[in-house]
Amino acid sequence: MEECIFCKIAQDKIDSEKIYENENTVSFLDINPRAPGHSLVIPKKHVKNLINLDDEIVSELFKVTKKVEKLLKSSIEPDAFTIGINEGEEAGQEISHLHVNIIPRFKRDGGGPVQSVVKNPPKKEISKIGKMIRESLKINKTHSK
Ligand code: 5GP
Ligand code: ZN
């Protein structure tokens, strides 16, 4: 993926404010921070979303997210954190390289909880939705046998 800006950051082809790096992941400050210390954690391998990331790297990505959170807690000293992934264009993903946002939060910073990014409550009762999801799990299990 020659064009991808986050691949270029991972490969040190363009500058970034890196704050942590290991074999498979890297963390750097967001260029357009929503809060002081707003950081991104990415796998070095180009994948668009979690589903396409190998399980071992998924766990590493979240271990590094925890490390960076601790690092920001001790340096920036926020009151809280919002941690999230925009997955897919409809969810606001502009850079198609998976990235975890770690956003330090402060008292009266004007932000809301992650649930405030969408207001689209379902028409069906959640018991029906739960049943539908469990049914699809059964179907998927049968198909993967
Ligand atoms: P998305 O909307 O794809 O979830 O978020 C992309 C994030 O990457 C945005 O917060 C944006 O500010 C950040 N970003 C985009 N380009 C660059 C860049 O070249 N360097 C850095 N450090 N951050 C970037
Ligand atoms: Zn990439």
Side-chain angles (χ1 to χ4, degrees), residues 15-134:
D15 286 342
S16 69
E17 285 297 329
K18 284 192 182 175
I19 55 173
Y20 183 83
E21 183 166 11
N22 67 12
E23 193 189 344
N24 296 309
T25 71
V26 58
S27 180
F28 51 93
L29 297 182
D30 193 293
I31 207 166
N32 183 21
R34 293 299 179 120
H38 178 178
S39 303
L40 304 174
V41 185
I42 65 166
K44 287 185 176 175
K45 185 181 163 199
H46 183 95
V47 292
K48 183 169 182 189
N49 50 38
L50 271 181
I51 289 173
N52 292 319
L53 190 63
D54 298 337
D55 285 351
E56 306 79 67
I57 316 287
V58 172
S59 60
E60 203 174 327
L61 189 72
F62 279 90
K63 279 184 191 156
V64 171
T65 298
K66 177 179 169 179
K67 260 187 210 298
V68 172
E69 186 182 355
K70 281 168 92 174
L71 193 61
L72 293 172
K73 198 172 169 55
S74 60
S75 52
I76 307 274
E77 299 183 336
D79 300 308
F81 285 96
T82 292
I83 296 174
I85 299 172
N86 297 322
E87 239 196 38
E89 289 74 21
E90 296 78 3
Q93 183 175 13
E94 283 170 12
I95 309 277
S96 67
H97 185 132
L98 175 65
H99 47 283
V100 182
N101 284 270
I102 308 181
I103 306 178
R105 299 294 304 271
F106 297 86
K107 280 189 195 87
R108 294 179 289 280
D109 65 7
V114 284
Q115 294 93 328
S116 62
V117 300
V118 67
K119 207 167 182 202
N120 180 27
K123 313 266 180 304
K124 285 185 189 166
E125 298 110 70
I126 61 162
S127 58
K128 288 202 177 123
I129 296 174
K131 188 164 175 267
M132 187 181 83
I133 295 168
R134 285 187 295 274

